[in-house]
Amino acid sequence: MSIGYRFAEYIPPQDDKQGFESLLKIFLQLVMITSGDVAEALSWLSSLDKQYGLTGDDYGIGDFIEDLKKKGYIDENPQEEGVLKLTAKSEQNIRKSALEEIFGKLKKGGKGSHATPQTGIGDETSTDRREYRFGDALEQISMTDSIRNAQINHGLSDFRLTEQDLEITETEHKTQSSTVLMIDISHSMILYGEDRITPAKKVAMALAELVKQKYPKDTLDVIVFGNDAWQIEIKDLPYLEVGPYHTNTVAGLELAMDILRKRKTPNKQIFMITDGKPTCLKEGVHYYKNSFGLDRKVVNKTLNLAAQCRRIKIPITTFMIASDPYLQQFVDEFTKVNNGQAYYSSLKGLGHLVFRDYGRNRKKSF
């Protein structure tokens, strides 16, 4: 009697009412879109529940709010009675959620950080092999390949292992990298009915979590630029909002360069996420602004800074989330002057491009 299998269509269990974990994912997305406004996010969640029936008779939004408090995701603001605020646990979960959404689940890496094109006595083995040279470490010897060479060279009847039989497994050097991520928070990031700031925040949070998990020896600093530029903490990213600002790219680049000058790592770089052209300069206490076309006064100073970054070996990667031809022309010129890279990205593909460029091997100095 033969034993076989009978296949039928799989019908998943009907469970259309969501519990805490499912609601938490939606809540964390909403709280990021509302720039950390817990009350507004819960209001949106209630509206979604009413429209799509997210909860049931056994577990409602009120239960979910109580669980958020009990599990340490939200707390009452001590400065404002009755006002709820996010906790550090929520901020970390938002970063993890962004990382999983954009980059997939990544395993934590080991020592070191980014691979370089150079080989030798390094941190991580590669698939390359070569002959033994004086000074090679014993642990680099590939015993399996070396014994095979000895058998081929001398035969089994007269087996011996000589220096000429030894084969070495190459290793790749690892290095540390310091990155400044510049995020444009000018008014155009929410104009034309398109929310561009939320994807930018997601990318920043995902990149921060990636660095923490996979490249713990690297540094990542985040700055925002509008009329001015200032540095923000990673934990403050969910609360980031667009302001009624012009685009002072010069201020952003100057601050990024100041930060990187203080870093002692051999490799430094700037990532810039923007959707527009530079339109603003600060001259003393006054602002020079011109949103009409490409103002040469503003553009030339921006290009001068790009050239300065090139001279001190700081490449700039520009992620332009706009496709206007005259903007592309400016970015092309900016990239050529810096000898950096530029991507013209949709919001959907932004995260993958940032990850690919960050993980890619960059120029090194040894």
Side-chain angles (χ1 to χ4, degrees), residues 100-128:
E100 291 173 1
E101 177 186 340
I102 295 173
F103 303 137
K105 295 182 179 178
L106 298 173
K107 294 181 179 179
K108 186 176 181 181
K111 294 181 179 179
S113 299
H114 310 283
T116 75
Q118 295 152 309
T119 57
I121 301 177
D123 303 307
E124 185 174 295
T125 58
S126 73
T127 56
D128 297 331

Side-chain angles (χ1 to χ4, degrees), residues 298-312:
V298 181
V299 167
N300 286 341
K301 188 150 188 181
T302 306
L303 294 176
N304 287 341
L305 283 177
Q308 284 184 38
C309 284
R310 180 177 181 173
R311 285 194 292 272
I312 58 178

Side-chain angles (χ1 to χ4, degrees), residues 214-265:
K214 196 172 181 182
Y215 305 118
K217 292 185 178 181
D218 282 10
T219 64
L220 175 67
D221 296 282
V222 181
I223 64 176
V224 295
F225 62 104
N227 289 351
D228 299 284
W230 61 94
Q231 189 171 1
I232 65 170
E233 299 290 335
I234 299 296
K235 67 179 181 65
D236 295 328
L237 277 167
Y239 315 113
L240 187 60
E241 294 181 280
V242 167
Y245 305 128
H246 286 70
T247 308
N248 192 344
T249 310
V250 167
L253 290 172
E254 287 176 339
L255 179 56
M257 292 169 68
D258 287 342
I259 292 171
L260 289 174
R261 283 191 190 99
K262 299 172 186 176
R263 299 297 184 189
K264 304 303 179 186
T265 50

Side-chain angles (χ1 to χ4, degrees), residues 178-363:
S178 292
T179 303
V180 172
L181 177 62
M182 293 173 52
I183 302 176
D184 184 350
I185 58 167
S186 62
H187 189 54
S188 61
M189 292 289 278
I190 55 170
L191 277 180
Y192 317 116
E194 186 174 38
D195 176 11
R196 297 171 174 176
I197 191 63
T198 298
K201 287 196 292 186
K202 282 186 179 181
V203 168
M205 287 185 286
L207 186 58
E209 200 63 20
L210 172 73
V211 170
K212 181 179 178 182
Q213 290 187 20
K214 196 172 181 182
Y215 305 118
K217 292 185 178 181
D218 282 10
T219 64
L220 175 67
D221 296 282
V222 181
I223 64 176
V224 295
F225 62 104
N227 289 351
D228 299 284
W230 61 94
Q231 189 171 1
I232 65 170
E233 299 290 335
I234 299 296
K235 67 179 181 65
D236 295 328
L237 277 167
Y239 315 113
L240 187 60
E241 294 181 280
V242 167
Y245 305 128
H246 286 70
T247 308
N248 192 344
T249 310
V250 167
L253 290 172
E254 287 176 339
L255 179 56
M257 292 169 68
D258 287 342
I259 292 171
L260 289 174
R261 283 191 190 99
K262 299 172 186 176
R263 299 297 184 189
K264 304 303 179 186
T265 50
N267 304 299
K268 303 173 183 181
Q269 64 178 347
I270 296 172
F271 283 2
M272 179 168 64
I273 301 175
T274 182
D275 72 335
K277 60 188 180 293
T279 60
C280 177
L281 291 174
K282 191 169 186 180
E283 300 178 323
V285 296
H286 302 289
Y287 294 94
Y288 176 86
K289 303 173 184 177
N290 182 4
S291 299
F292 301 98
L294 287 168
D295 188 306
R296 294 311 303 177
K297 180 176 181 179
V298 181
V299 167
N300 286 341
K301 188 150 188 181
T302 306
L303 294 176
N304 287 341
L305 283 177
Q308 284 184 38
C309 284
R310 180 177 181 173
R311 285 194 292 272
I312 58 178
K313 298 182 179 178
I314 298 179
I316 303 170
T317 303
T318 305
F319 299 91
M320 174 61 75
I321 47 179
S323 56
D324 307 62
Y326 80 101
L327 288 180
Q328 290 192 15
Q329 184 180 359
F330 161 71
V331 173
D332 287 344
E333 187 177 3
F334 179 85
T335 303
K336 184 177 180 181
V337 168
N338 174 255
N339 196 27
Q341 296 183 82
Y343 298 99
Y344 303 96
S345 170
S346 66
L347 294 172
K348 185 177 180 181
L350 179 62
H352 297 286
L353 285 174
V354 173
F355 170 70
R356 186 180 71 180
D357 204 71
Y358 191 86
R360 179 187 294 165
N361 184 33
R362 270 98 58 192
K363 297 177 181 179

Side-chain angles (χ1 to χ4, degrees), residues 33-162:
I33 295 171
T34 62
S35 299
D37 190 325
V38 174
E40 186 178 357
L42 289 173
S43 176
W44 286 13
L45 184 62
S46 297
S47 297
L48 289 172
D49 180 34
K50 184 177 180 181
Q51 186 174 357
Y52 297 104
L54 301 179
T55 64
D57 294 336
D58 296 331
Y59 192 82
I61 296 296
D63 298 313
F64 174 66
I65 294 172
E66 287 303 311
D67 282 344
L68 284 174
K69 294 178 181 178
K70 290 176 184 177
K71 295 177 185 290
Y73 288 95
I74 60 175
D75 200 359
E76 287 198 9
N77 192 329
Q79 278 79 39
E80 300 179 70
E81 187 176 349
V83 176
L84 297 172
K85 66 180 184 69
L86 292 180
T87 64
K89 183 176 181 178
S90 281
E91 293 163 357
Q92 184 181 26
N93 270 268
I94 292 173
R95 293 196 300 271
K96 286 183 177 179
S97 175
L99 179 63
E100 291 173 1
E101 177 186 340
I102 295 173
F103 303 137
K105 295 182 179 178
L106 298 173
K107 294 181 179 179
K108 186 176 181 181
K111 294 181 179 179
S113 299
H114 310 283
T116 75
Q118 295 152 309
T119 57
I121 301 177
D123 303 307
E124 185 174 295
T125 58
S126 73
T127 56
D128 297 331
R129 300 284 188 273
R130 61 168 173 81
E131 74 281 357
Y132 173 83
R133 292 197 290 262
F134 179 77
D136 288 330
L138 290 177
E139 56 266 25
Q140 286 183 265
I141 298 175
S142 172
M143 292 307 300
T144 301
D145 295 313
S146 299
I147 292 172
R148 183 199 62 214
N149 293 340
Q151 291 176 340
I152 294 172
N153 295 335
H154 312 297
L156 289 174
S157 58
D158 186 27
F159 180 80
R160 64 183 185 276
L161 187 66
T162 67

